[in-house]
Amino acid sequence: MNNSLLPPVPIPVRWYDGLAQYQQQGSAHVLATVVAVNGSAPRALQAKMVVTQDYCCDTLGGGGLEHDIVATARQLLNGEIDTTIPKTSKRDKGVNKSIDNDNDNDSDSTPSKVVRRDTVYTKHYPLGAKLAQCCGGSVTVMFECFNVTPPMSILVFGAGHVAAALMTILAELPCQVDWVDSRPEMFERYLLENSNLPNKSIKTEGLTQTLETQPSLNQPKLYNLPAHIRPHIDDDPVDFIRPFIEPFLEQSGQRFILVMTHDHSLDFELVRAALDASSEANRLATSLDNDDLGNDLDNDYSKISMPYIGCIASTTKAERFKNRLLQRGYDKQIVDQLTMPIGLPIGGKEPMAVAVSITAQILQHYHQK
């Protein structure tokens, strides 16, 4: 079994495909647009490209110009650019009329500095020797940052009625969802029929899947689900816990584990595994904070938020689970990390009502962090 929660996703080629995909996934990205052109330039006005931490979609001309655009976009995503610079050159007057003009001391070999206007940044590029561009003109590029706040990552165990209702809601939210169940039949309703449909593109809400002409035993099943919701069928769902939590020390973002399987004993094992992995990550983060070599990492690790761990339950089931955990030697402080029963007490026991209460609770946690 491949425990990876991040199967390879085709990298979009065109900026509009990339923008749609990263918006839907809630991934951090920058839309770079040429907003002014003077003289000769590699791309026309309103040309665009999308930049993420790892990939680029489309192009603004290549060469030194694009290299600097990509570097600037990633600096913006990482918060590395000084956002207190107040001025632009006169060449940007038509783009940033609300910003005071500076003396035009820029030479053709020196790009002007970056300017912040809320979440929009502009940068002027003379296409001269500094950028190894011989066009002789200049361009101004606007950088728009999206989803810089880390997205929600949600691991859902169980594909029953409440989970199915929950997916209907999560399909409309910017998040990453891994949905795990050991029963293949629970996902059959979402399968795309691929018989007698060679080379046919099937369009569904938020998803376009192309079926291959040659069937293969290794070909992954195609589901009528948005791209950011990934179903997994596995006989041992517990194996998904640790790979989901461990990247906390390398990646930012908030993570949510929702346990709602058909089996109470499996629910208990999943809760235990989540608490164990969460505690280990917390101990590791604390040791890194206290280590002499980790003094410069305090800002990275001290802000780590431990995952939300929630389990669907009645009041009776919740009491039994928590008592069993305490009897097995779990510290009360660790047990208190468990949210059980799950969801806000808004009333209603229908699957959709419960799904709404769960979604409201995780959104509340997400936006309060």
Side-chain angles (χ1 to χ4, degrees), residues 101-282:
N101 294 324
D102 193 9
N103 292 330
D104 191 1
N105 293 324
D106 295 331
S107 68
D108 285 347
S109 62
T110 306
S112 61
K113 293 184 177 181
V114 174
V115 178
R116 176 173 184 174
R117 290 170 55 195
D118 297 326
T119 58
V120 177
Y121 301 74
T122 59
K123 191 170 184 179
H124 182 75
Y125 292 94
L127 302 175
K130 182 71 173 180
L131 294 175
Q133 305 273 159
C134 57
C135 300
S138 66
V139 298
T140 300
V141 177
M142 177 175 69
F143 299 82
E144 297 176 88
C145 301
F146 296 93
N147 301 327
V148 177
T149 300
M152 293 187 293
S153 295
I154 306 173
L155 179 59
V156 180
F157 292 102
H161 297 297
V162 173
L166 181 65
M167 295 305 150
T168 302
I169 303 173
L170 296 181
E172 302 299 325
L173 294 175
C175 55
Q176 295 282 355
V177 183
D178 287 285
W179 189 14
V180 186
D181 200 294
S182 61
R183 303 166 293 171
E185 65 272 15
M186 300 307 292
F187 293 116
E188 285 182 357
R189 74 180 89 171
Y190 302 104
L191 279 172
L192 291 173
E193 292 295 333
N194 57 7
S195 58
N196 302 319
L197 292 172
N199 278 340
K200 183 173 182 180
S201 179
I202 295 182
K203 294 184 178 181
T204 62
E205 291 187 11
L207 173 66
T208 299
Q209 295 277 13
T210 301
L211 302 177
E212 302 292 338
T213 55
Q214 298 297 326
S216 169
L217 294 177
N218 296 323
Q219 182 178 337
K221 293 182 179 179
L222 302 178
Y223 293 95
N224 184 7
L225 289 166
H228 66 287
I229 297 178
R230 299 172 295 225
H232 306 271
I233 301 170
D234 198 275
D235 292 332
D236 194 358
V238 174
D239 288 344
F240 284 82
I241 295 284
R242 194 169 298 277
F244 183 76
I245 291 180
E246 284 181 346
F248 256 106
L249 298 181
E250 291 89 26
Q251 301 173 6
S252 59
Q254 294 185 47
R255 303 199 172 199
F256 298 82
I257 298 175
L258 311 179
V259 178
M260 50 183 73
T261 80
H262 61 295
D263 185 338
H264 283 206
S265 62
L266 177 57
D267 283 353
F268 185 76
E269 292 307 313
L270 288 166
V271 166
R272 284 188 60 194
L275 291 176
D276 289 343
S278 175
S279 298
E280 290 176 15
N282 189 33

